[in-house]
Amino acid sequence: MNDAVEAVNKNIKKIMEKMTVNYKDWHEMLPFALLAYRTSIRSSTGATPYSLVYSMEAVLPVEVEIPSMRILAEMARAFNKKVRPREFSPGDLVLRKVLHVATDSKGKFAYKYDGPFIVKEVFDEGAIILNDIDRNENALPINVVALKKYYP
């Protein structure tokens, strides 16, 4: 076990030699050298020591200021985990969210949804064309986010 500790100390010493200007400021650079050692990939395991201990990669201080692809992918994964897929087909009854507040609305007691409407056509990118119950077509497509299924 002493050989492994000596190997780690040797690697940290090499990092410190590259970072320090003179021997008097080594204690100021030690946290940065340890961070560099703990977040660099080892060839023997193919992982960083940090990821082996905490089962996740460390977020470097520079990545907080300038997001890397890894951080952006993690944010996208966290966002997509909360997304509920909504599938509609022609003929479904739906309610449309009221997106504007009328001047004569009843405040918090106003209706949140209009409808019901009938789905006429569904597009791939999440747009839907609706018909009224009287089969009058609405000209503008509506995003799936603003709809929910209606169950009479």
Side-chain angles (χ1 to χ4, degrees), residues 28-43:
E28 294 173 0
M29 293 296 166
L30 182 60
F32 301 109
L34 290 173
L35 178 70
Y37 180 77
R38 292 173 184 156
T39 57
S40 59
I41 295 176
R42 304 279 151 251
S43 58

Side-chain angles (χ1 to χ4, degrees), residues 1-17 30 33-34 37:
M1 198 63 188
N2 285 338
D3 292 339
V5 172
E6 288 178 14
V8 169
N9 289 340
K10 178 184 69 170
N11 289 333
I12 293 174
K13 185 178 175 184
K14 283 182 184 178
I15 294 170
M16 290 290 293
E17 288 173 356
L30 182 60
L34 290 173
Y37 180 77

Side-chain angles (χ1 to χ4, degrees), residues 1-125:
M1 198 63 188
N2 285 338
D3 292 339
V5 172
E6 288 178 14
V8 169
N9 289 340
K10 178 184 69 170
N11 289 333
I12 293 174
K13 185 178 175 184
K14 283 182 184 178
I15 294 170
M16 290 290 293
E17 288 173 356
K18 294 176 184 175
M19 294 177 68
T20 56
V21 177
N22 58 20
Y23 68 92
K24 292 181 181 177
D25 64 347
W26 69 268
H27 63 282
E28 294 173 0
M29 293 296 166
L30 182 60
F32 301 109
L34 290 173
L35 178 70
Y37 180 77
R38 292 173 184 156
T39 57
S40 59
I41 295 176
R42 304 279 151 251
S43 58
S44 59
T45 59
T48 65
Y50 187 94
S51 67
L52 292 174
V53 172
Y54 297 107
S55 301
M56 61 184 295
E57 287 296 328
V59 177
L60 302 176
V62 101
E63 289 178 322
V64 174
E65 295 293 325
I66 305 167
S68 66
M69 288 302 293
R70 180 173 63 91
I71 298 297
L72 294 175
E74 183 66 28
M75 289 171 61
R77 187 186 65 76
F79 174 78
N80 290 336
K81 187 170 33 172
K82 295 179 183 177
V83 173
R84 295 181 312 184
R86 299 180 184 188
E87 296 181 11
F88 298 102
S89 57
D92 286 348
L93 291 175
V94 295
L95 297 174
R96 180 180 63 190
K97 186 180 281 189
V98 176
L99 299 176
H100 63 279
V101 177
T103 56
D104 61 342
S105 69
K106 299 174 180 120
K108 67 179 182 180
F109 299 111
Y111 292 110
K112 307 287 190 266
Y113 288 92
D114 277 342
F117 295 96
I118 301 172
V119 175
K120 178 185 178 193
E121 190 174 353
V122 179
F123 297 103
D124 291 338
E125 299 298 321

